[in-house]
Amino acid sequence: MNENLHQLRCFGCGARIKGAEAQPDFRCSACGELFEVEYPGWKEKKGPERPLAGALKWLWRERRASHENIDHSGVWRFRELLPILDSFGNVVSLREGNTPLYHLHRAAKALGIDQLYAKHQGMNPTGSFKDTGMTAALSVAKERGFEWVACASTGNTSAAMAAYAARAGLKSLVLIPEGKIAWGKLSQAMDYGAVTCQLNTDFDGCLSLLTEIVKQAPIHLLNSVNPYRLEGQKTPAFEIAEAFDWNVPDHVICPGGNLGNSSALGKGFREMFELGLIARMPKISVIQAAGANPLAQSFARDNGATLEPVEAHTRATAIRIGNPASWRKAARVILETGGWCLDVSEGEIAVAKAELGAEGLGCEPASAVTLAGLKKLVAKGSVKSSETVVLVLTGHTLKDADYTIDFHRGTLLDESEAKGLEGAISKLQRNAVVVDATIDAVLATLKGVSA
Ligand code: F0G
């Protein structure tokens, strides 16, 4: 790795180490906190290593027309801001990133916010935002000569890791909570050749076990405690800024599980701000499922100062996490940008997901918390109609088709979860009906369909 340009700084005690000195669990040996990648050369205003904002914007635009493979990656197109490798020849890429930003016409109208967009990270090669982080961390693992990589996962991390490991010719180990991840994701890990262990515990249990395993075996840990993951996951912030011609939106809203993604997006915007690529940072808000809401509870209790782990329960299995590793980093992002942390109910998630689907933008339940959260923020008056808002949709709808089918069949939510939302739900439900193979029967089904 390029030790000249980057170092790791402990988020807790501020200790600085070289990348190669990190412990296998990526925790500080002095205080136990997580590390962040830092680029000391960027601090000197006129230093030779500080990237120049204007030149970067030009270079990144030029790369869109390039024929080089590395330039086709929406992560490595921005490689000047993630100089973590000794050689970019070690990049393992599936052409991740470059995901679409869609205007949300219907939701914008319903909420009275004209400028409402979705950054659809589910359009990545394995169907989730994890690919942007995995290309970065897996490339580091490959460059360091690891044979094995591993992660604990609620499904998407394992799918991404398995795919990138397969591309790099590395072996991968996946620990997942038994029976608590969506089939689409499990099938991916199997298909990409990972050794997949379903453990009789939850995600938090899987991660703490893996943390011990990597201390005993030469396995490179690829959960988002690995700071190189976040270097890749910060690049959607660059894409968002670029899409708005470097006038950042007022507000970016993302789901919160283990809280690596919100931390990474915040780091991306912060670095752009410090390097003069953008003039201000957007507010960044994090939305959790009510049954897996330790950070939302923390903000309600003491504004993000302490975290009490919870036993997590939600059908949005991607974010079924009760003891998020990166909560301190995420709390800093929310506080420094003036964003919020809220939770939303199972019913609110299901309705928001169906509303996005009805706009042609299918996503995972975990992604839909963003729209559900925005509705709450608008209702509280925290988001104004004049603001530009971007929802980060983190996963593809096909990851969890069972959830969608159950919603439309009316078997997803129980009565108490659907309470107060019955009207919205019945308007959105489109169950597949069994119909005689005649013209009249098919045309008869069109009658009474709500707008
Ligand atoms: N959305 C989706 C679709 C996810 O898969 C995850 C996390 C999140 C949101 C939350 O992101 O953890 O960075 O706050 N999934 C992890 C996994 C935990 O194992 O796939 P976070």
Side-chain angles (χ1 to χ4, degrees), residues 1-2 6 37 39 76 82-86 136 140 143 228 231:
M1 282 180 297
N2 199 330
H6 89 274
V37 176
Y39 305 101
W76 299 104
L82 52 155
I84 52 177
L85 296 170
D86 260 349
V140 170
E143 191 169 81
Y228 299 107
E231 291 309 286

Side-chain angles (χ1 to χ4, degrees), residues 91-210:
V91 162
V92 183
S93 171
L94 284 165
R95 299 201 182 187
E96 53 291 318
N98 292 322
T99 54
L101 184 76
Y102 299 113
H103 187 234
L104 288 172
H105 302 283
R106 283 214 214 175
K109 202 163 162 223
L111 288 168
I113 298 176
D114 242 18
Q115 299 302 312
L116 176 59
Y117 299 86
K119 174 74 174 160
H120 206 328
Q121 294 294 95
M123 299 302 192
N124 270 295
T126 77
S128 86
F129 72 99
K130 305 286 182 179
D131 295 342
T132 56
M134 214 44 86
T135 183
L138 205 291
S139 300
V140 170
K142 184 182 160 197
E143 191 169 81
R144 284 192 183 181
F146 277 89
E147 196 183 336
W148 278 93
V149 290
C151 70
S153 181
T154 56
N156 281 325
T157 302
S158 54
M161 180 190 74
Y164 282 82
R167 294 299 295 173
L170 304 190
K171 295 177 195 142
S172 63
L173 167 69
V174 165
L175 302 189
I176 49 171
E178 187 194 358
K180 288 169 203 144
I181 79 165
W183 289 116
K185 306 174 188 179
L186 179 60
S187 72
Q188 286 180 291
M190 293 157 82
D191 210 27
Y192 302 138
V195 175
T196 305
C197 301
Q198 305 193 64
L199 305 185
N200 185 17
T201 177
D202 55 10
F203 168 84
D204 304 292
C206 290
L207 184 55
S208 59
L209 184 70
L210 186 59

Side-chain angles (χ1 to χ4, degrees), residues 9 26 130 139 143 222 237 251 261 270 281 319-320 334 344 354 391 406 429:
R9 194 186 81 88
F26 291 105
K130 305 286 182 179
S139 300
E143 191 169 81
L222 283 178
H251 203 152
N261 199 34
R270 187 184 313 118
M281 284 180 71
I319 50 174
R320 196 177 191 277
I334 295 165
V344 289
L391 308 181
D406 287 347
Q429 270 170 341

Side-chain angles (χ1 to χ4, degrees), residues 127-130 151-160 175-177 181 185 203 223-224 229-230 233 254-264 286-288 316-321 324 326 330 363-369 392-396 399:
S128 86
F129 72 99
K130 305 286 182 179
C151 70
S153 181
T154 56
N156 281 325
T157 302
S158 54
L175 302 189
I176 49 171
I181 79 165
K185 306 174 188 179
F203 168 84
N223 278 95
S224 55
R229 275 269 310 275
L230 304 197
Q233 282 177 213
C254 61
N258 213 20
L259 297 170
N261 199 34
S262 35
S263 308
V286 175
I287 314 296
Q288 298 197 296
T317 50
I319 50 174
R320 196 177 191 277
I321 294 173
S326 294
C363 66
E364 275 198 49
S367 309
V369 301
V392 181
L393 304 184
T394 43
H396 198 281
K399 289 277 192 173

